[in-house]
Amino acid sequence: QALRLAQPVMQLRGQGAQTRPPVVDIGSFNGNVVPTRSSPATDYTTIQGGSLRTFSFRSPSIRQAQVTIGSDGRPVDAQIEIWQGPGNVPCKMRVYVEDGQMYPFSAVVETPRGPNTVAIRNTGPTAYPIGANVNADFIESPSPECLSSPTIIQGGALRTFHCEEWVKALQVLLMTDGRPLEARIELLQGPNNNKQVIELYSEDGLDRPVFLVIATPGYGDHVTRIVNTAPVEFPMTASVAPHTFNGQSPARSSWGYGQDGYRQDGPAFAPGTRAASVPYPSRGYAGGDYYDPNRVNPSGQRSVPAASASRSQAEAAKERAEAAKVAEMAAKEEAQKAQAAAYLAAEAARAEETAQKLREKEAEKLQLEADAARERAQASAMAAAADAAKARQAESTAAAVQRPRVPINNARGAYQPMSRDQPMSEAAGKAGSGLSDWAAL
């Protein structure tokens, strides 16, 4: 009998293999800002460059959604919009990340009065795909110290928040009193070295606040710069506090930045834990020593560590140097202004001199034209006088030619014209004799 083989079928490699490989390796995110209870990595959707993906929530009970965007180490350039009804975009963000693996983007957006749709567009080139996940089940929330450390930023104003190297991620909460929210958040490491830039807009900062978790991995300090790009009529409130710490950070109390400046209180905690805090204007670590102005030593005087005093002197010297530098810059500006004023005055004098020369040349030209006109008038007058003399001479000649002829006595009795040189009396006599001769006849 012929050997019958089983019909070939397609089989998966290994038992329990996933039918769809993960698009983005979330475990490789060094920023550690993805929620620990978030959905599996397979829920991340690949969005190619120039493409758009939408995530809809039809249930009106969903009031928040967390958006996480990362990459395999390439830059991230994306645009996030919240759609509520046709043509209604109550909230939108533009995100740029230098490295989507080390600095993944994570934001919690409000979706009240559903249904809402979260639209994510990869505005980068096709060579830069991104992985996006929109989660509505496990949402990160601001910590108590973040909620209790608000800072008011007026329209057009700028605030910076320093983050030390043991902080692995920051939490930022932006909201208003019901007015529009328009801001720009930048994460810098070094001078003008933007690691992450977020531009956001919300039509109602009270109904739709924005909560961000910004990763700050690596060595060196980071600075978070928040700019209120709205007009001065639209102030906003920003709350900044640490989110997670790395494993080498010392035990510290929970802290934050508030309206009264630096704040720190509560029991010491291990990395990754949080505790409630009460604002203090000037409590903290100074030169490695903890400084509390409200703590009184047994001698009845407030405790001020020596390191704090030396640091205060260094800061005072630095402030004096900065003041001297500012004064020097002001003096340079004044000198430049004076030089510019002198240059403008010299230019004005040269322009006036040039105008005076032009006026003199114009006057000289007019004088020459007047002299020429006067000479032409004199010549015309002399020519007219000569013409008048010629006319009179012509008239006299014509009168002489038209004088009458006188008769003379001759054999034929004809008239003989009087010559020009003959005297008038002689002609008259001849005329008289002729008349007598006529009478005799």
Side-chain angles (χ1 to χ4, degrees), residues 164-168 242 244-252 255 269-273:
E164 298 185 5
E165 59 182 359
W166 58 77
V167 178
K168 200 170 184 179
T244 55
F245 295 83
N246 57 28
Q248 300 178 355
S249 61
R252 302 243 175 160
W255 54 271
F269 63 95
T273 62

Side-chain angles (χ1 to χ4, degrees), residues 402-413:
Q402 294 177 2
R403 288 179 182 177
R405 297 177 179 181
V406 293
I408 57 174
N409 190 9
N410 52 17
R412 296 180 181 181

Side-chain angles (χ1 to χ4, degrees), residues 30-33 102-104 161-172 186-189 195-196 213-224 240-246:
N30 297 330
N32 194 22
V33 299
M102 294 191 64
Y103 298 91
F161 302 90
H162 179 262
C163 174
E164 298 185 5
E165 59 182 359
W166 58 77
V167 178
K168 200 170 184 179
L170 285 175
Q171 48 184 333
V172 179
E186 300 177 0
L187 179 65
L188 297 94
Q189 189 179 25
K195 297 297 183 180
Q196 190 170 158
V213 179
I214 302 176
T216 58
Y219 297 96
D221 298 346
H222 292 77
V223 174
T224 303
V240 181
H243 182 260
T244 55
F245 295 83
N246 57 28

Side-chain angles (χ1 to χ4, degrees), residues 103-329:
Y103 298 91
F105 169 79
S106 179
V108 178
V109 294
E110 299 290 332
T111 58
R113 300 177 299 277
N116 291 267
T117 298
V118 179
I120 302 177
R121 183 186 298 274
N122 185 357
T123 55
T126 56
Y128 296 155
I130 63 176
N133 179 25
V134 179
N135 177 29
D137 297 329
F138 306 101
I139 306 298
E140 290 281 350
S141 59
S143 61
E145 56 266 22
C146 180
L147 295 174
S148 59
S149 59
T151 300
I152 297 177
I153 304 178
Q154 300 293 337
L158 166 69
R159 291 292 183 274
T160 57
F161 302 90
H162 179 262
C163 174
E164 298 185 5
E165 59 182 359
W166 58 77
V167 178
K168 200 170 184 179
L170 285 175
Q171 48 184 333
V172 179
L173 176 63
L174 302 178
M175 59 187 306
T176 64
D177 57 355
R179 307 180 190 187
L181 172 63
E182 189 173 356
R184 177 185 176 94
I185 301 97
E186 300 177 0
L187 179 65
L188 297 94
Q189 189 179 25
N192 297 325
N193 185 14
N194 290 327
K195 297 297 183 180
Q196 190 170 158
V197 179
I198 304 169
E199 296 179 353
L200 62 91
Y201 167 78
S202 177
E203 66 179 9
D204 189 341
L206 183 62
D207 191 24
R208 295 179 181 270
V210 178
F211 175 65
L212 304 169
V213 179
I214 302 176
T216 58
Y219 297 96
D221 298 346
H222 292 77
V223 174
T224 303
R225 180 164 57 188
I226 302 177
V227 184
N228 187 354
T229 56
V232 70
E233 296 85 4
F234 299 151
M236 73 176 187
T237 302
S239 300
V240 181
H243 182 260
T244 55
F245 295 83
N246 57 28
Q248 300 178 355
S249 61
R252 302 243 175 160
S253 301
S254 57
W255 54 271
Y257 294 90
Q259 196 69 14
D260 299 326
Y262 180 76
R263 46 181 291 119
Q264 185 169 358
D265 191 24
F269 63 95
T273 62
R274 302 188 182 95
S277 60
V278 179
Y280 286 93
S282 57
R283 295 180 65 173
Y285 285 84
D289 298 332
Y290 182 74
Y291 171 61
D292 184 2
N294 297 320
R295 184 175 60 190
V296 181
N297 56 20
S299 62
Q301 299 179 355
R302 297 187 182 275
S303 59
V304 179
S308 300
S310 61
R311 184 175 179 180
S312 300
Q313 294 178 0
E315 290 179 353
K318 185 177 179 180
E319 289 178 358
R320 287 194 297 270
E322 290 180 355
K325 187 176 180 180
V326 171
E328 183 181 359
M329 293 178 63

Side-chain angles (χ1 to χ4, degrees), residues 68-123:
T68 307
I69 299 176
S71 69
D72 57 354
R74 305 182 187 185
V76 174
D77 191 358
Q79 184 175 356
I80 304 169
E81 294 181 351
I82 308 298
W83 297 347
Q84 188 178 33
N88 183 20
V89 184
C91 181
K92 58 183 177 180
M93 285 180 277
R94 181 68 182 269
V95 180
Y96 169 78
V97 182
E98 182 184 63
D99 187 341
Q101 183 177 9
M102 294 191 64
Y103 298 91
F105 169 79
S106 179
V108 178
V109 294
E110 299 290 332
T111 58
R113 300 177 299 277
N116 291 267
T117 298
V118 179
I120 302 177
R121 183 186 298 274
N122 185 357
T123 55

